[in-house]
Amino acid sequence: MEIVEINRQNLSDINKANQPFEIIGKIIPIFVDGIWSYTEEIYEHHTMKSYPVENRDYAAYINNPDKAVFLAYYGAECVGQIILKRDWNRYAFIEDICVAKSTRGQGIGTDLIQKAIEWAKKSNLKGLALETQDNNIPACRFYAKCGFVIGAVNTMLYRNFDNGEFAVFWYLPF
């Protein structure tokens, strides 16, 4: 497996790893004495969910000191990506991270997080931050395993979509 920064030659590989994932339940965030934790509610019936491909000018990330995209490859196949930007609060915000379904659980996500940490430190940033939904338990478990902690929960962000999802903001301070 190899992780490379986006360039004009691999620009078309963006979002190839953006594939459906299983909704198995949701986390229940708990805020006590200034510290977030969570429990899990596992659903009896599981469903599949896909994130839409965002319409961004990914060419603007090439050689940009404030943005970066790293792609993970097995041979010629793009199996993962992480999209980052320098945020106003001196964190590197992970705009997207995904791993192809066929290669999940093989350490690619962890390697992408490590690449993000390297980029953030090189950029003199103070940590990583991201947002995911409370019903993406596999992602929440992954972020916790990588050392991220919940910093906030936004119950209104997805309210207009009538899907009952809450936004959970995760942070990995350095």
Side-chain angles (χ1 to χ4, degrees), residues 77-92:
E77 182 183 1
C78 183
V79 295
Q81 71 184 30
I82 192 164
I83 302 171
L84 305 158
K85 71 175 183 177
R86 176 187 301 268
D87 218 346
W88 65 271
N89 60 359
R90 300 190 66 200
Y91 277 86

Side-chain angles (χ1 to χ4, degrees), residues 49-65:
K49 180 177 178 176
S50 297
Y51 288 128
V53 172
E54 295 192 32
N55 188 15
R56 289 190 186 128
D57 177 12
Y58 293 106
Y61 288 71
I62 298 172
N63 298 320
N64 186 330

Side-chain angles (χ1 to χ4, degrees), residues 6 15 29 41 57 60 65 72-73 85 89 103 105 127 138 140 143 146 155 167:
I6 193 171
N15 292 313
E41 177 186 331
D57 177 12
Y73 288 90
K85 71 175 183 177
N89 60 359
T103 55
C140 292
Y143 301 134
C146 288
T155 62

